Amino acid sequence: MTRVPVYAAEVTLSDGQRSASLGGVVVRNRRLVLLWLRRQALRLADGHGLLLAPEPVTPPTGDVRPVRFHGSDAPEELRRWATDGAHQDHAIRALEAGFPALFTVLDPAVGLSLTLAGWRGRPADQ
């Protein structure tokens, strides 16, 4: 039986005392983790300022639920993280070394932080 490594990613929202998952995914390699996190960062950044339509509890595509940012640079920071080669290189190196890839943006107007996280999980039996 071969043990295949798995990777997971999740986007969470926190007010400093409580935290909630906006969505997550389990994939078969670190590049897919990074691809999913980049897509979510851009999706959240691009959705800033748009009227948020009600969505099902779990979006069918595996995308995270949208959030509204209030007077912060969070959308630009998310976009910069997702498109900057140095940030992506740092994230993939962290995953390759067995460490989590983490990126957090703050929305100080309402005291919330949004964290994108990817990590290597336990190998799955195959």
Side-chain angles (χ1 to χ4, degrees), residues 62-73:
D63 286 338
V64 298
R65 289 179 247 155
V67 297
R68 181 174 305 273
F69 297 104
H70 301 83
S72 75
D73 295 327

Side-chain angles (χ1 to χ4, degrees), residues 84-99:
D84 181 75
H87 289 301
Q88 296 305 301
D89 289 345
H90 177 75
I92 200 72
R93 281 195 309 271
L95 291 169
E96 286 171 350
F99 296 106

Side-chain angles (χ1 to χ4, degrees), residues 30-97:
R30 63 186 170 264
R31 295 204 181 275
L32 292 175
V33 162
L34 194 54
L35 180 66
W36 186 84
L37 288 171
R38 288 176 64 198
R39 188 176 75 236
Q40 301 316 309
L42 290 171
R43 182 173 180 273
L44 289 165
D46 292 345
H48 176 64
L50 300 177
L51 183 59
L52 300 179
E55 290 193 27
V57 172
T58 304
T61 62
D63 286 338
V64 298
R65 289 179 247 155
V67 297
R68 181 174 305 273
F69 297 104
H70 301 83
S72 75
D73 295 327
E76 291 77 22
E77 290 177 39
L78 286 166
R79 193 172 288 107
R80 187 173 22 259
W81 179 83
T83 60
D84 181 75
H87 289 301
Q88 296 305 301
D89 289 345
H90 177 75
I92 200 72
R93 281 195 309 271
L95 291 169
E96 286 171 350

